[in-house]
Amino acid sequence: MIGSSAPISDAATNNTRSSLVMDKITAGYHADQWVLNGVSLRAEPERVTVVLGPNGAGKSTVLKVLYGLVAPHAGSVRVGDQDITRLPPEARLALGLAYLPQGHSVFPSLTVQENLEMGLWIYRHDRARREEALERCFAEYPVLKDLRAKLAGSLSGGQQRLLEVARLMLPNPTVLLIDEPSVGVAPNLVDILYEHIVRWRNQGKTVLLVDQNVEAAVSIADYVYTLESGRNRLDGPRDEFEGRLREVVGQWLRLDVLP
């Protein structure tokens, strides 16, 4: 995770900044070839907001724009009442945002402990805070304490994902951007990851989730957005959305994927 030289306050005390708004964002990776075309969404505290769509709809790009990894051509991003559209990722981290990317993001040649310490880079001048955060982490994820001296690259895929989740939570963020957490992960670990997501919501955090596992994602969602071709299509509370899920996904895949 990218560090910041700015003073960091405990994100858990910063709930007034934890709503997240994307307003009419146009963005992409090449000029005039936009992946997102005027996309808007809102994620609130104590909610899991899910973004669904077919491959190429722009779901992962939404998260990258929100975290500052892709600069928008037009539109704005806000946390609470603060415009963060032009802030770099490290400044967003300092405001309580955290991002779990799709696929593995461990440093394979570093140990488990060193990977976790990278997640505490923003506290690099505060040894007591780093040690306290690590102790909390090992209490919550005791398997990582047993593996702390092993190289991260030698871990199983599931263990690496667990390490990524633990590292994500070390700075105690208030806004979580989660991209495809179930990809390449055994079903039993997927269940554990989703239990964590529900717990984070119940702790008052703002969760924005992208996942190809449509049924699982909708099962924990409070609000759902769908994208097609980089544009908003449908959105609504889960209870209103579930009745249209078969139709929407069937259109994406042109087959009935749901039982």
Side-chain angles (χ1 to χ4, degrees), residues 69 74 88 96 113 144 156 163 186 204 211:
L69 299 174
Q113 169 110 10
L144 295 180
S156 69
L163 173 58
D211 205 341

Side-chain angles (χ1 to χ4, degrees), residues 101-114:
Q102 181 179 352
H104 291 307
S105 61
V106 300
F107 299 94
S109 61
L110 299 182
T111 66
V112 167
Q113 169 110 10
E114 289 166 339

Side-chain angles (χ1 to χ4, degrees), residues 3 34 63 71 99 109 129 147 163 183 189 198 254:
W34 308 124
L63 299 186
Y99 171 54
S109 61
R129 199 166 196 175
L147 297 170
L163 173 58
V183 170
L189 184 56
V198 170
R254 300 196 181 281

Side-chain angles (χ1 to χ4, degrees), residues 34-47:
W34 308 124
V35 177
L36 304 178
N37 295 277
V39 171
S40 297
L41 59 81
R42 185 181 189 94
E44 296 285 359
E46 300 183 69
R47 286 188 180 183

